[in-house]
Amino acid sequence: MSKLYISYNQIHASVRNAVERYNINSDFKPDLMITITGGGLVPSRILRTFLDKRNDRNVPIQAIGLTLYEEIELAQANGGTGEDIQVLKTQWLNKDELSMLLGRRILLVDEVDDTRQTLAFAVKELLADIEAEEVKKGLKPGESNTQLGVFVLHNKIKPKKRDLPSAIMKNYFAAVEMPDQWLVYPWDATDIEEHTEKASI
C-alpha cells in the first residue's frame, strides 16, 4: 500500500475548508469537542481556531483515550491475526465532565475514519453516557436535546467494519474523502523537515 505524507499546512487548510464547506459554525454550532487522544489531539486544536466562540469563550476540548491498532500490532507481532481484538478505553470522561454533556452540541474528533471501529465504539459509549445522565436528571432519552456529531481529517472510502447511527451521520464531517492509503501524519515524524518535503511531492 502506498504512503501519503500529510503536512501541518495541509491539515490546517483542510480543516479550515471543511468548516466553511459544511457550514459547521452556522448549522451544527458546536460548543464542545471531545477528542480521541493520539490522532485527534492536534486536529482538535486546529479546528478550535476556526470554530466560533460560544458565550465569548473558545470551544472547550475534552479528551478520551481508546486503543485498538496498537493491540492488533502486538497480536500480529506474536503470531496472531488480531482479528478478535476489541476497542478498549484507556481514558474517559470523569463524573463532572459527564454531567456537563447534556444540552451540548458535541463534536467527536479523530484524525482518520479507517475501519470505523474506534469511532463507532466512542459514539456508542458517549450516547450511553448521555442517556444515563438524562435518566439521573429525570429526563426521557433524547429529552435533553444533546447533539453529537463527528469530525475527521480523512475518511477512507472503503468498506467499514462498523456503522454509525443515521442521526450521527447527518452531522458527519470529513475534511478529506480519499482512497484507502497508508497515511503518515506529521506528529509521527522524527524529522519534520524531511516529512514536510515528502508531503509536498
Side-chain angles (χ1 to χ4, degrees):
M1 182 181 294
S2 63
K3 290 184 179 181
L4 180 63
Y5 288 80
I6 311 294
S7 72
Y8 282 116
N9 285 355
Q10 290 167 339
I11 292 168
H12 198 273
S14 294
V15 171
R16 182 193 64 227
N17 292 337
V19 170
E20 295 173 355
R21 187 170 73 252
Y22 291 114
N23 299 312
I24 292 176
N25 281 316
S26 59
D27 292 351
F28 188 69
K29 302 177 182 177
D31 59 10
L32 175 65
M33 280 186 283
I34 296 178
T35 185
I36 299 177
T37 57
L41 287 169
V42 175
S44 295
R45 180 57 190 88
I46 294 173
L47 178 57
R48 188 169 77 171
T49 298
F50 299 106
L51 294 181
D52 289 345
K53 290 185 177 182
R54 305 293 170 187
N55 299 317
D56 296 322
R57 296 178 181 274
N58 289 318
V59 175
I61 302 172
Q62 302 289 355
I64 58 174
L66 303 174
T67 182
L68 174 64
Y69 295 106
E70 289 179 349
E71 303 302 322
I72 291 174
E73 290 173 359
L74 284 172
Q76 291 173 341
N78 290 318
T81 64
E83 286 296 320
D84 58 342
I85 300 295
Q86 300 296 314
V87 181
L88 298 174
K89 292 180 184 178
T90 58
Q91 177 182 335
W92 204 253
L93 305 176
N94 62 36
K95 291 181 179 179
D96 290 337
E97 291 165 342
L98 288 172
S99 67
M100 294 174 62
L101 296 179
L102 298 191
R104 307 298 288 267
R105 304 183 67 83
I106 305 163
L107 266 184
L108 176 66
V109 182
D110 205 3
E111 89 278 35
V112 62
D113 183 354
D114 190 345
T115 63
R116 196 164 282 175
Q117 289 171 276
T118 51
L119 276 175
F121 179 88
V123 166
K124 180 182 177 183
E125 292 296 307
L126 286 170
L127 289 176
D129 286 338
I130 290 166
E131 185 171 325
E133 290 300 314
E134 289 175 325
V135 170
K136 285 181 184 178
K137 296 190 180 330
L139 301 174
K140 296 178 182 178
E143 196 172 352
S144 67
N145 198 32
T146 305
Q147 302 295 312
L148 180 62
V150 170
F151 185 99
V152 294
L153 278 179
H154 298 100
N155 175 38
K156 295 185 180 182
I157 303 172
K158 58 187 285 189
K160 307 295 187 182
K161 293 186 177 181
R162 297 287 185 274
D163 293 320
L164 295 176
S166 58
I168 301 298
M169 292 304 296
K170 290 178 182 177
N171 293 306
Y172 176 92
F173 312 110
V176 179
E177 302 271 0
M178 60 172 298
D180 189 10
Q181 284 184 276
W182 184 352
L183 299 176
V184 186
Y185 289 102
W187 45 82
D188 290 323
T190 54
D191 186 330
I192 193 61
E193 292 182 358
E194 179 185 29
H195 179 98
T196 302
E197 184 177 342
K198 288 181 178 179
S200 67
I201 298 174

